[in-house]
Amino acid sequence: MPTTSARLLALLSLLQSRRDWPGGVLAERLGISLRTVRRDVDRLRELGYPVAAVKGPDGGYRLDAGTELPPLLFDDDQAVALTVALQVAATGADGALADAAARALQTVRQVLPTRLRQRVGALRVTAVARPATAPAAPVDGGVLLALSAAVQAREILRFDYGPDSADGPARHAEPHHVVIWDGRWYLVAWDLDRADWRTFRVDRITLRPPHGPRFTPRALPGGDVATYLTGVFRGSGGGSVDWPCRGTVLLDLPAATVARYTRDGLVEEVAPDRCRLTLGSWSWVSLAAAVARYDAAVTVVGPPPLTDAFALLADRFARTATGGAAAGPRSGQQRERGEGVFPPQQP
């Protein structure tokens, strides 16, 4: 029979692996009697583990949540995954979250067995942020937890949004998802005051508790949060992952050359030194400018608004090169087609 300590560790590992365990199954898995199982459960309770008895025909046990975090038991794969996740969080997060992740990582590393410490020590993660005009502001972990709790409980939120909103009326929204996108935390919610979907930056939210009342969740445009957010940040309104403007051109460059510098587009070879490029963007002018960066002769395949956008850019650039006055305001038809429209305001 294994020692008492070994039995307790094995019992704890089983209790952590699923919600409910019949007493008879535990006894069989551990190779001990039901009486010994009951004794070992009592010992775990004395050590601070909240093991609850489950009523029913078979009886059994469940490891519940307690008021304090007791020591946890991880297998090798779980321990490695935990340390990798903490290292990514400590490197890529900002403010208090990064500091807490770093402290948790140090705690875990200190208790890892030598064989695992060597495996984890060989991994060094460095998060390189995409250059931006302003870094992401630190996010309060308490606000993240409160928002997530409101999403789970389906409770309407009251909050101020932005540094100058404290003296104004509170915003009211039905929270649906807390997400991270390009290094920033966002709350995706139905804005009750504007009767539309909105994406709020979490670092700009100041909650006004209490929350409530409860609400029935609405269906997100596009069907899921990934599709919705992709649409929002591409300017298509959250209902589609596609760009609002998409066109095709012929470039006098080899397909292999263009493909190296094309992240989101389709490159097809037409001839050894010519290719067809299909690309999307948030406006026709921005699409024309994106094509122009390839520094090659361009033939527009379609649609016609892309040809108009090249003409508009040519006029602007010619005036800039000769020191002339800037091009006049766009016509109503151009505005309807989205030509020259700056990217939709980011949340």
Side-chain angles (χ1 to χ4, degrees):
M1 179 178 292
T3 64
T4 301
S5 298
R7 285 202 325 271
L8 290 179
L9 289 175
L11 175 58
L12 180 59
S13 179
L14 290 174
L15 290 173
Q16 289 180 167
S17 65
R18 78 183 199 194
R19 182 168 176 78
D20 295 327
W21 280 95
V25 176
L26 286 175
E28 181 180 353
R29 292 286 294 270
L30 297 171
I32 57 179
S33 66
L34 275 172
R35 182 177 181 183
T36 304
V37 170
R38 288 192 291 269
R39 288 178 177 174
D40 287 348
V41 166
D42 289 337
R43 292 188 179 99
L44 288 177
R45 290 167 175 164
E46 291 173 359
L47 292 173
Y49 293 96
V51 182
V54 178
K55 297 180 179 180
D58 298 328
Y61 301 95
R62 173 189 304 158
L63 185 61
D64 284 339
T67 57
E68 296 181 353
L69 183 66
L72 301 176
L73 185 66
F74 297 102
D75 60 31
D76 288 6
D77 291 338
Q78 288 175 326
V80 171
L82 177 62
T83 53
V84 170
L86 287 173
Q87 188 171 349
V88 171
T91 307
D94 292 317
L97 289 178
D99 180 64
R103 288 187 286 107
L105 178 61
Q106 183 62 27
T107 300
V108 172
R109 279 178 171 166
Q110 288 178 350
V111 298
L112 284 177
T114 302
R115 66 182 186 280
L116 295 182
R117 192 179 300 117
Q118 292 174 348
R119 288 176 60 187
V120 173
L123 176 66
R124 288 291 182 267
V125 178
T126 301
V128 179
R130 181 174 61 86
T133 55
V139 172
D140 187 339
V143 174
L144 278 178
L145 291 175
L147 293 177
S148 298
V151 170
Q152 184 70 21
R154 300 175 180 176
E155 293 178 338
I156 292 175
L157 288 172
R158 299 173 62 250
F159 57 92
D160 298 322
Y161 191 63
D164 302 324
S165 62
D167 297 331
R171 303 287 290 268
H172 300 80
E174 299 173 354
H176 283 254
H177 295 82
V178 177
V179 298
I180 187 167
W181 178 283
D182 199 18
R184 294 186 189 274
W185 288 95
Y186 294 92
L187 171 69
V188 177
W190 175 264
D191 192 323
L192 292 168
D193 302 312
R194 289 159 177 78
D196 198 4
W197 289 98
R198 290 291 187 272
T199 305
F200 301 97
R201 277 177 47 176
V202 173
D203 59 288
R204 296 177 178 174
I205 291 177
T206 302
L207 293 174
R208 286 194 187 184
H211 309 318
R214 296 181 181 272
F215 64 91
T216 301
R218 306 167 190 263
L220 269 171
D224 60 79
V225 68
T227 300
Y228 171 76
L229 274 184
T230 301
V232 166
F233 285 98
R234 285 185 171 181
S236 60
S240 170
V241 298
D242 200 6
W243 293 99
C245 301
R246 183 173 290 276
T248 301
V249 300
L250 296 176
L251 294 176
D252 288 351
L253 283 174
T257 300
V258 175
R260 287 201 301 268
Y261 304 100
T262 303
R263 288 186 57 190
D264 182 21
L266 175 64
V267 182
E268 302 170 280
E269 184 176 11
V270 175
D273 294 322
R274 206 172 197 218
C275 67
R276 179 184 292 104
L277 173 64
T278 301
L279 202 62
S281 191
W282 37 264
S283 77
W284 292 114
V285 168
S286 69
L287 179 55
V291 172
R293 68 189 175 94
Y294 290 98
D295 192 19
V298 179
T299 301
V300 175
V301 177
L306 181 55
T307 302
D308 296 341
F310 274 108
L312 180 60
L313 278 183
D315 179 65
R316 287 179 179 172
F317 290 162
R319 291 172 181 270
T320 301
T322 58
R330 299 184 307 276
S331 68
Q333 185 180 14
Q334 287 175 326
R335 284 193 296 270
E336 287 181 7
R337 292 199 297 256
E339 295 174 8
V341 179
F342 203 67
Q345 185 176 3
Q346 301 292 320

